Amino acid sequence: MTQFSMLPWTTGAAGDGATPYTQEQSNNFFRFFDVRNPAAEGVALGVLNELAVSGSASPLSVATGAAVCYGRYWNDSAASLSVSTPGVGTTGGRVVLRCTWATRQIRLAVKMSANGIATPPTLTQTFGTTWEISLATFTIT
């Protein structure tokens, strides 16, 4: 078994800090330390307002907080998210935190089901491409 420790060792020093940490090592540190199930967890409890989602109409509000989205750390200020009104019936939606490898960004987003489908859309969780964690689900008529 290989043993390895990291953070807060200064890279370039002796021992496990002798070489700079790779991006993968840093991501795994956050993923393993903070999240036991990356498919369903990620919000850092007790940090600011825990990314709480509120509102009963567009826009929805996401409070301050922090999260780990498949090994990537995210922390930002409160945000407003617009929700489109469906053309037909009641439509399900989901507020997600989305990690996108191609753009190297983590952003809040609203996902909507097709018009008239009340069930919230499924999460996209494809490592190396797009990984989403759910912050809230809702319906809009």
Side-chain angles (χ1 to χ4, degrees):
M1 178 174 111
T2 301
Q3 296 184 47
F4 178 77
S5 62
M6 64 180 294
L7 301 177
W9 307 122
T10 302
T11 59
D16 288 338
T19 57
Y21 305 127
T22 66
Q23 184 67 47
E24 182 180 5
Q25 288 169 325
S26 297
N27 293 343
N28 283 337
F29 172 81
F30 286 118
R31 188 164 56 93
F32 297 148
F33 184 79
D34 288 329
V35 181
R36 298 202 192 293
N37 179 4
E41 300 174 0
V43 175
L45 301 178
V47 176
L48 301 172
N49 295 300
E50 298 180 355
L51 301 175
V53 178
S54 60
S56 58
S58 187
L60 296 176
S61 179
V62 181
T64 58
V68 175
C69 191
Y70 212 96
R72 277 93 177 139
Y73 174 74
W74 185 82
N75 184 351
D76 209 356
S77 58
S80 288
L81 299 172
S82 295
V83 177
S84 58
T85 303
V88 168
T90 298
T91 302
R94 188 182 291 272
V95 176
V96 300
L97 191 59
R98 179 181 295 141
C99 177
T100 307
W101 273 257
T103 60
R104 293 180 172 83
Q105 293 179 320
I106 298 174
R107 296 291 184 265
L108 290 166
V110 172
K111 289 184 76 164
M112 300 293 293
S113 294
N115 281 343
I117 305 297
T119 304
T122 59
L123 295 170
T124 301
Q125 294 185 326
T126 307
F127 175 76
T129 304
T130 303
W131 195 271
E132 296 170 338
I133 57 173
S134 183
L135 299 180
T137 59
F138 62 90
T139 58
I140 187 167
T141 302

